[in-house]
Amino acid sequence: MPKETAVYTHGHHASVLRSHTWRTAANSAAYLVGELKPHMAVLDVGCGPGTITADLAALVPQGHVTGVDAAPGILDQARATAAERGLDNVEFAVADVHALDFPDDTFCVAHAHQVLQHVGDPVQALHELRRVVKPGGIVAVRDSDYAAMTWYPRTPGLDDWLELYERVARANGGEPDAGRRLKSWALEAGFTDLTATSSTWTFSTEEERAWWSGLWAERTTDSSYARRATESGHADEAALAAISAAWRAWGEQPDGWFAVLHGELLCRV
């Protein structure tokens, strides 16, 4: 496939949206929150259902937030999220991060959460984010790193899940181990003032295990990811069913623990 394109591996199945709507500025953009000022104009790329976008809008009450996503269908949910919270300083539009339809020097901050792992050319995406940010502004990116995810106990089948997911994601043109590569990509894109950090999501309580294992068990058999895995010949339905069962078995373990590592980057323009 062309370098500038990629397939969004997860799609927007209900099991995916349960994860996306759980995300907040506090649990997914804490590294950026301290940099925000009330007057700022913020671009949120890959906004999905808009929960982080709405939080960002609340944090810049005298400013404005523009949320964009490549999937038009999800933007109605994002608009509803903002409306439910009574936010009038946020708008949403369809956009491609490789070629943003905004003039140079438009925003104070450009933010992208879990985006660069899914794009065909992350360096070009970073070039675009830099282009639309004003001098003195910030490009903020955060991505998970699948190979760095770790869990206990080592339930049979979850290693198969990780190996399969990485294979499918790369076949779709993405890079699932993006977290460790953010700094390298930013340097290649010409950034010189970088702050690289990391943080985790951790799922350990009975409720957290049930939620995390349940959404992955369902995603493995019923989502766009499942369809792409079978249609591309990476797995058959029996293999997906076994991985789904492994997720549910892990979720039932009272000593179960799962950590998702994220790379984070603040790039000053």
Side-chain angles (χ1 to χ4, degrees), residues 147-162 246 250 253 255-258:
M149 294 183 189
T150 189
W151 58 88
Y152 184 86
R154 301 303 296 188
T155 305
L158 289 194
D159 287 330
D160 295 335
W161 158 75
L162 180 58
W250 173 83
Q253 301 302 311
D255 57 350
W257 178 92
F258 198 108

Side-chain angles (χ1 to χ4, degrees), residues 6-12 118 164 167-169 171-172 219-220 222-235 240:
V7 174
Y8 181 49
T9 297
H10 297 289
H12 291 99
H118 297 296
L164 175 63
R167 196 148 34 88
V168 173
N172 286 338
R219 190 182 305 189
T220 298
D222 299 329
S223 70
S224 296
Y225 159 64
R227 185 180 69 252
R228 291 179 179 120
T230 54
E231 289 179 353
S232 60
H234 293 292
L240 295 180

Side-chain angles (χ1 to χ4, degrees), residues 114-169:
Q114 312 289 21
V115 171
L116 296 186
Q117 65 183 281
H118 297 296
V119 305
D121 191 342
V123 174
Q124 171 59 22
L126 284 163
H127 273 296
E128 274 295 274
L129 295 177
R130 181 178 184 176
R131 180 184 66 77
V132 301
V133 169
K134 301 174 183 179
I138 293 172
V139 172
V141 292
R142 183 177 191 256
D143 270 273
S144 57
D145 193 299
Y146 275 77
M149 294 183 189
T150 189
W151 58 88
Y152 184 86
R154 301 303 296 188
T155 305
L158 289 194
D159 287 330
D160 295 335
W161 158 75
L162 180 58
E163 189 276 333
L164 175 63
Y165 178 81
E166 292 215 313
R167 196 148 34 88
V168 173

Side-chain angles (χ1 to χ4, degrees), residues 52-153:
I52 297 176
T53 320
D55 283 352
L56 296 176
L59 291 167
V60 293
Q62 285 84 56
H64 189 270
V65 176
T66 302
V68 299
D69 202 283
I74 198 60
L75 295 179
D76 286 340
Q77 186 169 342
R79 293 185 182 101
T81 298
E84 288 166 5
R85 295 182 55 175
L87 297 164
D88 60 5
N89 64 333
V90 59
E91 64 181 340
F92 297 93
V94 177
D96 176 3
V97 69
H98 297 100
L100 294 168
D101 190 21
F102 301 105
D104 295 358
D105 307 337
T106 299
F107 300 97
C108 305
V109 174
H111 166 260
H113 183 258
Q114 312 289 21
V115 171
L116 296 186
Q117 65 183 281
H118 297 296
V119 305
D121 191 342
V123 174
Q124 171 59 22
L126 284 163
H127 273 296
E128 274 295 274
L129 295 177
R130 181 178 184 176
R131 180 184 66 77
V132 301
V133 169
K134 301 174 183 179
I138 293 172
V139 172
V141 292
R142 183 177 191 256
D143 270 273
S144 57
D145 193 299
Y146 275 77
M149 294 183 189
T150 189
W151 58 88
Y152 184 86

